[in-house]
Amino acid sequence: MKPKVVITHWVHPEIITNLSQYCSVVANPTRETLPREEILKLAQDAEALMVFMPDRIDDAFLKACPKLKIIAGALKGYDNFDVDACTRQGVWFTIVPSLLAVPTAELTIGLIIGLARQMLPGDRLIRQGTFAGWQPHLYGMGLANRTLGIVGMGSLGQALAQRLSSFEIDILQK
């Protein structure tokens, strides 16, 4: 019999297909966060649990799921997960420290460009039907030869600085 794995949030189908070769997978098919009670019901006889940012694991949860051997966090931080309780119960707890650095850096650059080039005001004019052709009030500014400060050069700060280097931006780091 394959070990049971519960995935608390929606994942891409290929993840389920890959895991299904080795495990009996019970996955949340929705894009919604399952209530804790429902996750507990699904996980009470599971050996593994894949958790995400909205989930919370504590001593009571672990006691209700005595077969758990590993909790795989598809996340970077773990503030809402009692790692000490996992250790006491003999449950491995894992995270992916660099999981969101690159996507967050890319989103940050998108926001910087959107603000610098006044993309939202321009979009608003077009959607409202009031865009009457070129006018000088949406000039904005480019990123080349500008200076940007990054406070904290952890994995996110480094990913951001690396991607911004192609824009010829002077990076100040603290």
Side-chain angles (χ1 to χ4, degrees):
M1 179 177 226
K2 294 179 179 180
K4 180 178 177 182
V5 175
V6 174
I7 302 173
T8 63
H9 286 76
W10 184 91
V11 294
H12 293 282
E14 50 271 19
I15 302 294
I16 297 169
T17 300
N18 190 19
L19 284 174
S20 294
Q21 297 175 54
Y22 310 99
C23 310
S24 172
V25 178
V26 177
N28 178 353
T30 74
R31 304 265 179 161
E32 304 300 320
T33 297
L34 295 174
R36 179 179 168 96
E37 298 76 30
E38 191 169 340
I39 295 171
L40 270 169
K41 184 178 174 183
L42 295 172
Q44 66 186 352
D45 61 344
E47 292 184 44
L49 187 62
M50 183 180 218
V51 295
F52 297 80
M53 289 187 299
D55 298 321
R56 197 178 105 255
I57 302 294
D58 54 22
D59 220 17
F61 186 99
L62 294 167
K63 286 179 181 171
C65 303
K67 292 185 176 183
L68 273 180
K69 295 179 181 174
I70 186 167
I71 298 173
L75 40 83
K76 177 180 179 172
Y78 51 92
D79 294 352
N80 45 336
F81 299 95
D82 189 339
V83 178
D84 290 336
C86 290
T87 302
R88 284 192 304 275
Q89 296 290 332
V91 177
W92 284 15
F93 183 82
T94 67
I95 60 170
V96 186
S98 62
L99 179 68
L100 298 175
V102 170
T104 304
E106 290 172 351
L107 289 170
T108 301
I109 292 169
L111 290 171
I112 290 169
I113 292 170
L115 289 169
R117 289 295 183 177
Q118 297 193 41
M119 292 173 82
L120 285 178
D123 179 71
R124 204 171 297 117
L125 285 175
I126 292 169
R127 290 179 190 271
Q128 291 172 347
T130 57
F131 180 70
W134 181 89
Q135 293 179 357
H137 63 274
L138 291 177
Y139 276 145
M141 68 168 110
L143 301 184
N145 303 311
R146 300 286 177 182
T147 301
L148 178 77
I150 299 176
V151 178
M153 288 304 285
S155 58
L156 173 56
Q158 290 175 36
L160 183 59
Q162 179 184 13
R163 280 150 187 79
L164 285 172
S165 67
S166 63
F167 288 95
E168 300 171 8
I169 293 178
D170 184 28
I171 303 290
L172 302 177
Q173 19 183 316
K174 176 147 172 79

